[in-house]
Every structure is written in structure tokens, then in C-alpha cells.
Amino acid sequence: MTAHVKPKALENFKARDFRMLIDGTWTEGAGQPIERIAPGHGIVVSRYPAGSKADAERAIAAARKAFDDGPWPSMTGAERSNILLKAADLIAARADELAFLDCIESGKPISQAKGELGGAVDIWRYAAALARDLHGESYNTLGDGTLGVVLREAIGVVSIITPWNFPFLIVSQKLPFALAAGCTTVVKPSELTSGSTLVLGEILIEAGVPAGVINIVTGTGPEVGAPMTTHPDVDMVSFTGSTGVGRLTMANAAQTLKKVSLELGGKNPQIVFPDADLDAFIDAAVFGAYFNAGECCNAGSRLILHTSIAADVTARIADLAKKVKVGDPLDPTTQVGAIITPQHLAKIGAYVDGAAKAGALVALGGAALDLGLGQFMAPTILSGVRPDMAVAREEVFGPVLSVLTFETTEEAIRIANAIDYGLSAGVWSRDFDTCLTIGRKVRAGTIWMNTFMDGASELPFGGYRQSGLGRELGRHAVEDYTETKTLNMHIGARTGWWMPR
Ligand code: NAD
């Protein structure tokens, strides 16, 4: 762990003032801007407009007009694809600036933020390729008198609402696919980390996305996000965030029966058998628990270890976790950065205290770290956790690893499935049958086998049960932003309904 004072990179730093993008115009908000205090440095780094309901409504009207009258939905796939490819190049060219913003606003390590930018550029290129391959189906099997053609049409105006933990990566899992399909959009980033999304607005305008096709409104959820989920002119809501707000989003959208896509929380298990490559697993356990300070929907926050290896493996994980470098997010060697807000740090601490009171053992960490500026949490391990404890069932969203144990494969599956979430899971064994049995029986959208938290633009991602609805990424991601229309065509003379056929 490294104590730090204001780093050199921020010595002459001036907070950046942003404006929001509505109908191709950069605008100020009416009220006092939202100030973002860097979680790892304790100083104001960004100011965004505090958008209002009226701003959200203006943005929706602009997106509606751009969809109904504008050129974007009628362009060829190739034209949209070329604009998205240009956007990808511009993102790559400004990757350091974007990574810096995500780092200082969210508190994540700069090396990790740069990695996320690389992943995002790949997604924009992948979506650009899919823009040219979006097509429906034809049925030439319905008899001589009928030809059926199934069209894929852009669904219309899409509201995109994103969280703070992966600011640029998550908007990149939604926006390029919506644009590829020909939709127009209103985007609301988290009020804690809006900077990189606003720079993306500049990039998209420069790449040639027409005014009104991309609108970005900053502000709070209740003020800006809520009207984006209820307004009758919005056709679809794509939301990533907490399960609680996801539930509210779905209820709001139900009033006008909008399509809803939800990427929500997780409490993801790693199930480990005695025959696994334990060295590889121990590294993955530390990575899974502490990557992004555990503020990750995919965090491997529950270990389900076979009883015969539990004590030894837990001790080895603790040894490795002690070496994880927690510190200044701007230090290129930092592996774990700051916690998003002081309130969230307190919530994480309360989970640890609650688990200890319920009988878990704090095997490592368990408290906040004072590094001079900002708020940090020590990598924490709780052993002796029972499946009924809150810390085993609820998303802590911090660097807290819960260790549970099992005797039989059936018991491991039962423990893994005994929660409301189903986002992802890992299984570790050298036995093919064991991996496939777990892979098929655990109810989660992604199962990693002998690895953890890998991914690719080609692989669909999303959750079972209360982890969400729908899938992002993968070759069907563009289709999610479309409606299906049937053209049922008659060939030759038609027999009237009253006449015998
Ligand atoms: P959050 O639900 O508090 O906020 C997410 C977004 O919703 C923010 O932009 C917020 O302003 C907005 N919002 C809040 N209230 C709203 C309302 N009433 N109407 C409309 N919008 C509203 O989540 P968060 O704290 O920003 O992010 C952390 C959560 O996100 C965790 O639960 C995490 O698991 C989840 N997450 C899921 C995935 C995934 O892909 N499954 C990825 C990242 C994060």
C-alpha cells in the first residue's frame, strides 16, 4: 500500500467545465453545476451541468425528430458503419484523455482505465461491422402464392442510462449498437462520472453523427433519468445500474410498454474443486475480488471452496492479496484505486461489521485505509461465511471476498444458485465432467471455466433472474435495438374470403 499526497500530475490541474449536448448544441444547465470530487485525490476535478426534466424532454424531442425526419435511419448500413469506424479511430486517438477522466472521476487505476479504452475501441469497431450485416429473413416455403419477408427496423428513440463503475466501457456496450441499427439516442451518464461520455459526444459529432441522433444530458437519476424512462416518445430504455433502480426503470417503462434492456447487479460465485490448478485459481480469486476495488457487477465476490482445500487456499489468497498495490489511481503501478464516495465506503464497512457480528471471521483487512487523500478500503477476506448471511447474498460492491465451503457438487450448485442474482460464475477443476455439470446447472449469463472475468466483443453478456434482462455484445447486439416487421406478400390472383379455396 502506498500513502500519497496530491500527485504531480494534478499540481497545476484545473477542474474541467463540461457542457451537455442537446440537438447538436452544447448547452449549460440552468442551475448550479454538479461538482465531482475525485475519490482518490479529494479535489474537484469536473463540473457538469445539472440537467433538468425540461432538458431531458428537449433531448427526447430532438432524438424523436432526428429519427422521424432525419437521415440517420435511412442511411445505408455502410454509411453508418463508416461513421462508427471513424468514431473508433477518434476514440483511440483521444484514449489517454478519456482514460485520465475515467481514472480521476471514478478512482480506478490509470493502467486499468487505459485497458478499458482499448476494449471500448474494439467494441465500436465490432458494432461498425455489424451495422453492415443487419438483415431479416425471407420465407420462400409458403406456397406459390405467398412470399414472406421479415424486416429488421430500427426501434426508434433509445434512452441509455449508465452507472459510474465503467463510465466509458458501459456506454460503449450500448451506444454503437443502437447507432448501428439506425436508432437515435438520449444518453444519461452517472452524475459521478460524466466526463468521458461528454467527450464521446464531441467525438461522435466530429465523426459525422448528425445533430439530434446523439444527445447527452447530465444530471441526477430522478431529475433526468426518470423522464427518459416514462416519456411516450421514447421507444426503448437500455439501463445499466443497480437492481433497485433497474426494477423502477422497468415499472416506469411499463406505463407505455417500452422495450427494456437491463444490466444489473451480481453476486458471482467461483466454485473450486480440489483437482483444480490452484495457483491459477488463487491469482484469479484475487483479481476477481479486487479488480476495480470490487466495484464491479462481475466481481467474484463469493468463493465456494471444497472443504478439503478451504483453509489452505484461503491462507494463500490472503498472502497474495497482501501484495496487491492499493493507492493513487494516477500511479501507473497501482492495482486497486479509490472507493467512489465516502458514503459508499461506509456502506462497505457496514457489510463487513454485519458479517463479523453474524459470525464470519475477518481473515484479512476489514477497514478503510488512510492514504492521505480520498477514500480507500483494504482488500478484505471474510471466512466462515454461511449462505444465509447478507454478505453472501447481497452485492457489497467493494473489495470484500466471502469464503463459503461445500462437500458435494450438488451442494456447490445449490449454494451458487441460492441467491436472487445470476450474472456470472466460475468453476475450477481439471475434470471435464465437473466443469460441464457446473456450467450447465449454475443459473448465470456467463460461466467461466478455469478462468475468470474474461470477455470479448463477440460474446454475449448479461444476467439471469435479478441480474437483468437481455444481452449486450455478441452478434445479436444490434438486433436488440430493432423491431421485427413482417411483409406478407401475395403473388397472382387472390381468392376472396367468401369463395371456396
Ligand atoms: P444506480 O442504479 O444507482 O445508477 C445507475 C444510473 O441510473 C445512474 O446514471 C443514475 O443517475 C441513474 N438513476 C438513478 N435513479 C434513477 C431513476 N429514478 N430513474 C432513472 N435513472 C436513475 O447504479 P450505480 O451505483 O451507478 O452503479 C452500480 C450498480 O450498477 C451496481 O449494482 C452494479 O452491479 C451495476 N452494474 C451492472 C453491470 C452489468 O453489466 N450487469 C455493469 C456495471 C454496473
Side-chain angles (χ1 to χ4, degrees), residues 233-252:
D233 280 346
V234 171
D235 300 293
M236 174 173 170
V237 182
S238 176
F239 172 88
T240 297
S242 60
T243 293
V245 179
R247 213 175 274 129
L248 181 66
T249 296
M250 195 166 169
N252 282 345

Side-chain angles (χ1 to χ4, degrees), residues 8-319:
K8 264 205 159 359
L10 292 180
E11 258 168 18
N12 299 313
F13 179 84
K14 281 207 172 55
R16 190 160 164 178
D17 289 294
F18 289 94
R19 288 175 298 168
M20 54 191 172
L21 179 63
I22 300 177
D23 204 10
T25 304
W26 291 97
T27 53
E28 315 275 348
Q32 281 294 312
I34 294 171
E35 287 198 325
R36 178 61 182 144
I37 296 174
H41 307 103
I43 58 167
V44 175
V45 283
S46 304
R47 290 186 203 92
Y48 331 112
S52 62
K53 182 176 183 219
D55 292 319
E57 287 171 350
R58 276 195 305 128
I60 292 166
R64 186 77 256 165
K65 188 164 184 313
F67 187 78
D68 293 344
D69 308 343
W72 188 252
S74 1
M75 279 185 187
T76 65
E79 285 169 324
R80 283 199 294 270
S81 176
N82 287 338
I83 290 173
L84 296 178
L85 285 172
K86 185 157 182 216
D89 290 344
L90 292 169
I91 294 167
R94 291 178 74 172
D96 283 352
E97 175 193 359
L98 291 161
F100 177 79
L101 283 169
D102 275 4
C103 166
I104 55 172
E105 291 182 2
S106 76
K108 69 173 68 229
I110 186 70
S111 58
Q112 184 194 314
K114 286 182 180 173
E116 287 168 25
L117 258 295
V121 169
D122 187 67
I123 298 174
W124 280 82
R125 296 209 167 112
Y126 180 65
L130 293 179
R132 301 187 70 153
D133 194 41
L134 179 61
H135 58 81
E137 300 157 0
S138 64
Y139 287 86
N140 197 28
T141 51
L142 308 176
D144 285 348
T146 304
L147 180 64
V149 172
V150 183
L151 302 181
R152 286 274 177 190
E153 291 185 347
I155 196 165
V157 174
V158 181
S159 287
I160 292 178
I161 301 175
T162 58
W164 47 260
N165 58 342
F166 295 94
F168 199 85
L169 193 59
I170 287 176
V171 73
S172 299
Q173 289 184 192
K174 301 174 181 295
L175 185 55
F177 299 98
L179 294 176
C183 294
T184 61
T185 58
V186 179
V187 179
K188 192 202 94 61
S190 166
E191 57 273 37
L192 302 175
T193 55
S194 303
S196 61
T197 302
L198 292 163
V199 173
L200 177 62
E202 292 174 16
I203 287 173
L204 293 176
I205 298 293
E206 188 182 341
V209 175
V213 172
I214 164 78
N215 302 273
I216 303 168
V217 186
T218 50
T220 66
E223 188 67 28
V224 175
M228 289 168 60
T229 64
T230 53
H231 199 289
D233 280 346
V234 171
D235 300 293
M236 174 173 170
V237 182
S238 176
F239 172 88
T240 297
S242 60
T243 293
V245 179
R247 213 175 274 129
L248 181 66
T249 296
M250 195 166 169
N252 282 345
Q255 294 165 33
T256 47
L257 288 177
K258 299 180 199 317
K259 184 171 180 178
V260 177
S261 155
L262 301 172
E263 296 289 338
L264 310 175
K267 187 76 195 180
N268 313 297
Q270 296 212 60
I271 303 173
V272 190
F273 289 83
D275 68 339
D277 176 346
L278 293 177
D279 289 341
F281 161 68
I282 285 159
D283 182 77
V286 173
F287 167 63
Y290 306 127
F291 171 76
N292 214 46
E295 296 169 329
C296 180
C297 55
N298 259 333
S301 52
R302 276 196 300 161
L303 298 187
I304 307 178
L305 307 180
H306 192 267
T307 43
S308 65
I309 54 168
D312 176 53
V313 164
T314 306
R316 288 172 64 192
I317 292 170
D319 284 345

Side-chain angles (χ1 to χ4, degrees), residues 329-344:
L330 282 168
D331 179 339
T333 63
T334 291
Q335 291 169 294
V336 172
I339 300 298
I340 191 77
T341 58
Q343 296 78 358
H344 190 57

Side-chain angles (χ1 to χ4, degrees), residues 368-393:
L369 290 175
D370 183 1
L371 300 184
L373 286 171
Q375 59 275 341
F376 295 82
M377 174 84 192
T380 296
I381 298 176
L382 301 171
S383 61
V385 173
R386 292 188 317 271
D388 60 311
M389 291 180 183
V391 80
R393 312 176 65 82

Side-chain angles (χ1 to χ4, degrees), residues 396-430:
V396 175
F397 230 53
V400 178
L401 183 61
S402 293
V403 182
L404 296 88
T405 56
F406 74 95
E407 291 279 358
T408 64
T409 303
E410 293 67 34
E411 187 188 7
I413 294 166
R414 206 167 44 244
I415 295 171
N417 286 336
I419 54 162
D420 294 332
Y421 294 113
L423 190 58
S424 58
V427 54
W428 293 81
S429 167
R430 287 191 170 97

